[in-house]
Amino acid sequence: MKREGIGIFGGSFDPVHLGHRKLALYMCEKLSLRKMLIMPAAVSPFKSSSGASSEERLQMCRLSFPEDIFEISSIETDRGGKSYTIDTVNAVKAMYPDEKIYLIIGSDQLLSFNRWYKFKEILSIVCLCAVSREDESLTEEMEKFADEKLREFGECMIFPFSPFVVSSTEIRSLVSSGEDAGKYLHDEVSDYILTKGLYKK
């Protein structure tokens, strides 16, 4: 099978965990991507900053995604300030002008996507790809929302997905309280967090 297209998978990745990894691998296969950019945000417009620095989050991503199909991108951390998706997709399109660009998001993000800054312009540049938990009512809600709010402006695909249920917030809480979060992390990321003393009170 010929692989083509570039995926963008962004997030705070503070820390990156096995749920992120499972989703990234799943979307690489579903979309037959040539490359996926793993892109830690500098300062998300939706989240306050927490424990790890930009460079530490980039390094954890390098450890969690060693395969050739992944490229850890510092586009947003190099730019600094708040991370707006329109700036990112324009930068990626400039780097790969002849490639189809896929933007990977979650179900909650899809259902608020019409409130993202310049969302219509984003949809004119990328194919929006959202994952739904394997829940028929949620998938129907997402499809209805995409039809009514998004698809007139661009392509939007929804994929059923069984997530590895954990959040970065939960992991930070476990580490902070001295509990073992290793089962949620790539082994090398777990070792890195311990070595660096990240997320300690």
Side-chain angles (χ1 to χ4, degrees):
M1 179 188 297
K2 183 183 178 184
R3 290 186 170 273
E4 53 192 0
I6 306 295
I8 303 172
F9 181 29
S12 57
F13 300 126
D14 194 15
V16 62
H17 55 66
L18 295 180
H20 296 131
R21 185 171 161 77
K22 180 180 180 182
L23 173 57
L25 288 166
Y26 173 81
M27 294 308 296
C28 282
E29 289 308 306
K30 293 297 286 187
L31 298 168
S32 299
L33 295 178
R34 183 172 72 79
K35 180 185 293 188
M36 180 177 281
L37 304 178
I38 305 295
M39 193 173 296
V43 178
S44 167
F46 305 110
K47 294 182 181 178
S48 60
S49 180
S50 66
S53 70
S54 293
E55 183 50 47
E56 287 165 341
R57 290 182 294 116
L58 284 163
Q59 182 58 22
M60 286 189 280
C61 286
R62 293 181 193 111
L63 295 171
S64 195
F65 295 101
E67 294 88 349
D68 289 343
I69 197 169
F70 297 115
E71 179 180 313
I72 311 307
S73 172
S74 63
I75 285 176
E76 294 198 346
T77 55
D78 288 346
R79 188 166 62 229
K82 291 189 180 297
S83 296
Y84 287 108
T85 302
I86 184 60
D87 298 326
T88 299
V89 299
N90 276 323
V92 173
K93 190 62 181 176
M95 291 164 59
Y96 301 100
D98 300 322
E99 296 268 13
K100 186 166 184 174
I101 309 295
Y102 298 86
L103 178 64
I104 317 300
I105 63 172
S107 55
D108 292 345
Q109 292 171 304
L110 178 89
L111 294 171
S112 63
F113 195 80
N114 62 324
R115 298 197 297 272
W116 286 31
Y117 179 61
K118 294 191 175 180
F119 82 96
K120 295 176 187 178
E121 190 175 335
I122 296 170
L123 286 168
S124 73
I125 299 168
V126 305
C127 172
L128 189 65
C129 298
V131 291
S132 167
R133 296 184 301 277
E134 292 179 329
D135 173 335
E136 191 172 337
S137 63
L138 175 61
T139 303
E140 288 175 359
E141 181 185 4
M142 291 172 68
E143 288 285 358
K144 184 172 185 288
F145 183 89
D147 281 341
E148 293 178 355
K149 305 286 188 182
L150 305 178
R151 286 185 171 131
E152 67 177 294
F153 306 111
E155 193 175 0
C156 178
M157 302 167 70
I158 295 167
F159 299 87
F161 176 68
S162 177
F164 183 95
V165 183
V166 67
S167 72
S168 295
T169 302
E170 290 172 293
I171 292 171
R172 292 197 303 272
S173 179
L174 286 171
V175 175
S176 176
S177 59
E179 296 179 61
D180 181 15
K183 66 182 179 180
Y184 302 120
L185 303 163
H186 190 289
D187 287 346
E188 291 194 33
V189 173
S190 184
D191 290 344
Y192 183 85
I193 288 171
L194 288 171
T195 300
K196 286 281 190 175
L198 298 179
Y199 311 121
K200 295 292 187 183
K201 286 182 180 175

Short mmCIF file of all heavy atoms in Angstrom, two decimals, residues 85 103 105 108-117 119-120 122-123 126 128 145 150:
data_model
loop_
_atom_site.label_atom_id
_atom_site.label_comp_id
_atom_site.label_asym_id
_atom_site.label_seq_id
_atom_site.Cartn_x
_atom_site.Cartn_y
_atom_site.Cartn_z
N THR A 85 -3.98 26.95 15.96
CA THR A 85 -3.88 25.89 14.96
C THR A 85 -3.73 26.44 13.55
O THR A 85 -3.05 25.85 12.72
CB THR A 85 -5.10 24.96 15.07
OG1 THR A 85 -5.15 24.44 16.40
CG2 THR A 85 -5.00 23.81 14.09
N LEU A 103 -5.40 16.77 10.07
CA LEU A 103 -5.32 17.27 11.44
C LEU A 103 -6.10 16.33 12.35
O LEU A 103 -7.31 16.13 12.17
CB LEU A 103 -5.89 18.68 11.52
CG LEU A 103 -5.92 19.33 12.91
CD1 LEU A 103 -4.50 19.53 13.44
CD2 LEU A 103 -6.67 20.66 12.86
N ILE A 105 -7.76 15.20 15.82
CA ILE A 105 -8.31 15.76 17.06
C ILE A 105 -9.21 14.73 17.75
O ILE A 105 -9.56 13.70 17.17
CB ILE A 105 -9.10 17.07 16.81
CG1 ILE A 105 -10.32 16.79 15.93
CG2 ILE A 105 -8.21 18.14 16.19
CD1 ILE A 105 -11.26 17.98 15.80
N ASP A 108 -14.10 15.69 21.91
CA ASP A 108 -14.45 16.96 22.56
C ASP A 108 -14.01 18.15 21.71
O ASP A 108 -14.72 19.16 21.62
CB ASP A 108 -13.79 17.06 23.94
CG ASP A 108 -14.36 16.06 24.92
OD1 ASP A 108 -15.43 15.49 24.63
OD2 ASP A 108 -13.74 15.82 25.97
N GLN A 109 -12.84 18.02 21.10
CA GLN A 109 -12.34 19.11 20.26
C GLN A 109 -13.22 19.30 19.02
O GLN A 109 -13.48 20.42 18.61
CB GLN A 109 -10.89 18.82 19.84
CG GLN A 109 -9.90 18.88 21.00
CD GLN A 109 -8.53 18.38 20.57
OE1 GLN A 109 -8.38 17.27 20.07
NE2 GLN A 109 -7.53 19.21 20.79
N LEU A 110 -13.69 18.19 18.45
CA LEU A 110 -14.55 18.30 17.27
C LEU A 110 -15.81 19.09 17.60
O LEU A 110 -16.22 19.98 16.85
CB LEU A 110 -14.94 16.93 16.73
CG LEU A 110 -15.89 17.03 15.52
CD1 LEU A 110 -15.10 17.10 14.23
CD2 LEU A 110 -16.90 15.92 15.48
N LEU A 111 -16.41 18.76 18.73
CA LEU A 111 -17.72 19.34 19.08
C LEU A 111 -17.63 20.81 19.48
O LEU A 111 -18.66 21.45 19.70
CB LEU A 111 -18.38 18.52 20.18
CG LEU A 111 -18.77 17.09 19.76
CD1 LEU A 111 -19.21 16.27 20.95
CD2 LEU A 111 -19.86 17.12 18.68
N SER A 112 -16.42 21.34 19.55
CA SER A 112 -16.25 22.78 19.78
C SER A 112 -15.44 23.42 18.65
O SER A 112 -15.03 24.58 18.76
CB SER A 112 -15.56 23.04 21.13
OG SER A 112 -14.26 22.49 21.14
N PHE A 113 -15.22 22.68 17.57
CA PHE A 113 -14.29 23.14 16.54
C PHE A 113 -14.77 24.42 15.86
O PHE A 113 -13.95 25.24 15.41
CB PHE A 113 -14.06 22.04 15.49
CG PHE A 113 -12.88 22.30 14.60
CD1 PHE A 113 -11.60 22.01 15.05
CD2 PHE A 113 -13.03 22.84 13.34
CE1 PHE A 113 -10.48 22.26 14.25
CE2 PHE A 113 -11.92 23.10 12.53
CZ PHE A 113 -10.65 22.81 12.99
N ASN A 114 -16.07 24.63 15.80
CA ASN A 114 -16.59 25.85 15.17
C ASN A 114 -16.29 27.09 16.00
O ASN A 114 -16.56 28.22 15.55
CB ASN A 114 -18.09 25.72 14.92
CG ASN A 114 -18.89 25.54 16.20
OD1 ASN A 114 -18.43 24.89 17.15
ND2 ASN A 114 -20.09 26.08 16.25
N ARG A 115 -15.72 26.93 17.20
CA ARG A 115 -15.32 28.08 18.01
C ARG A 115 -13.80 28.30 17.98
O ARG A 115 -13.30 29.22 18.60
CB ARG A 115 -15.78 27.89 19.47
CG ARG A 115 -17.29 27.81 19.61
CD ARG A 115 -17.76 28.05 21.04
NE ARG A 115 -17.28 27.04 21.95
CZ ARG A 115 -17.91 25.88 22.20
NH1 ARG A 115 -19.06 25.60 21.56
NH2 ARG A 115 -17.42 25.01 23.05
N TRP A 116 -13.09 27.45 17.22
CA TRP A 116 -11.64 27.63 17.09
C TRP A 116 -11.37 28.87 16.24
O TRP A 116 -12.12 29.20 15.32
CB TRP A 116 -11.00 26.40 16.44
CG TRP A 116 -10.91 25.20 17.34
CD1 TRP A 116 -11.77 24.86 18.34
CD2 TRP A 116 -9.92 24.17 17.29
NE1 TRP A 116 -11.37 23.67 18.92
CE2 TRP A 116 -10.24 23.23 18.29
CE3 TRP A 116 -8.80 23.96 16.49
CZ2 TRP A 116 -9.46 22.10 18.52
CZ3 TRP A 116 -8.03 22.82 16.71
CH2 TRP A 116 -8.36 21.91 17.72
N TYR A 117 -10.26 29.51 16.52
CA TYR A 117 -9.84 30.69 15.78
C TYR A 117 -9.62 30.35 14.31
O TYR A 117 -8.86 29.45 13.97
CB TYR A 117 -8.55 31.23 16.41
CG TYR A 117 -7.96 32.45 15.76
CD1 TYR A 117 -8.68 33.64 15.67
CD2 TYR A 117 -6.67 32.41 15.24
CE1 TYR A 117 -8.13 34.76 15.08
CE2 TYR A 117 -6.10 33.53 14.65
CZ TYR A 117 -6.84 34.70 14.57
OH TYR A 117 -6.28 35.81 13.99
N PHE A 119 -11.54 28.80 12.15
CA PHE A 119 -11.80 27.38 11.87
C PHE A 119 -12.14 27.12 10.41
O PHE A 119 -11.78 26.07 9.85
CB PHE A 119 -12.89 26.84 12.80
CG PHE A 119 -14.30 27.12 12.36
CD1 PHE A 119 -15.03 26.18 11.64
CD2 PHE A 119 -14.92 28.33 12.67
CE1 PHE A 119 -16.34 26.42 11.24
CE2 PHE A 119 -16.22 28.59 12.28
CZ PHE A 119 -16.94 27.64 11.56
N LYS A 120 -12.80 28.05 9.75
CA LYS A 120 -13.14 27.85 8.34
C LYS A 120 -11.88 27.80 7.47
O LYS A 120 -11.78 26.98 6.56
CB LYS A 120 -14.07 28.97 7.85
CG LYS A 120 -15.43 28.99 8.52
CD LYS A 120 -16.25 30.18 8.05
CE LYS A 120 -17.54 30.31 8.84
NZ LYS A 120 -18.33 31.49 8.42
N ILE A 122 -8.90 26.90 8.57
CA ILE A 122 -8.25 25.61 8.87
C ILE A 122 -8.84 24.51 8.00
O ILE A 122 -8.10 23.72 7.38
CB ILE A 122 -8.41 25.25 10.37
CG1 ILE A 122 -7.71 26.26 11.26
CG2 ILE A 122 -7.86 23.84 10.63
CD1 ILE A 122 -8.03 26.10 12.74
N LEU A 123 -10.17 24.47 7.90
CA LEU A 123 -10.84 23.42 7.13
C LEU A 123 -10.58 23.54 5.63
O LEU A 123 -10.74 22.56 4.89
CB LEU A 123 -12.34 23.45 7.41
CG LEU A 123 -12.76 22.91 8.78
CD1 LEU A 123 -14.21 23.25 9.07
CD2 LEU A 123 -12.55 21.40 8.85
N VAL A 126 -6.79 21.65 5.64
CA VAL A 126 -6.58 20.27 6.10
C VAL A 126 -7.84 19.43 5.96
O VAL A 126 -8.95 19.96 5.83
CB VAL A 126 -6.14 20.24 7.59
CG1 VAL A 126 -4.91 21.10 7.81
CG2 VAL A 126 -7.28 20.66 8.51
N LEU A 128 -9.91 17.33 8.38
CA LEU A 128 -10.06 17.19 9.83
C LEU A 128 -10.44 15.75 10.16
O LEU A 128 -11.39 15.20 9.61
CB LEU A 128 -11.15 18.14 10.33
CG LEU A 128 -11.31 18.30 11.84
CD1 LEU A 128 -10.06 18.94 12.44
CD2 LEU A 128 -12.54 19.15 12.15
N PHE A 145 -22.99 16.99 14.03
CA PHE A 145 -22.30 18.28 14.21
C PHE A 145 -21.45 18.59 12.98
O PHE A 145 -21.45 19.73 12.49
CB PHE A 145 -21.43 18.22 15.47
CG PHE A 145 -20.73 19.50 15.78
CD1 PHE A 145 -21.34 20.47 16.57
CD2 PHE A 145 -19.45 19.76 15.29
CE1 PHE A 145 -20.69 21.67 16.84
CE2 PHE A 145 -18.80 20.95 15.56
CZ PHE A 145 -19.43 21.91 16.35
N LEU A 150 -19.52 21.96 9.96
CA LEU A 150 -18.14 21.94 9.47
C LEU A 150 -17.99 21.57 8.00
O LEU A 150 -17.16 22.16 7.30
CB LEU A 150 -17.31 20.95 10.31
CG LEU A 150 -17.30 21.18 11.83
CD1 LEU A 150 -16.48 20.09 12.52
CD2 LEU A 150 -16.77 22.56 12.18
#
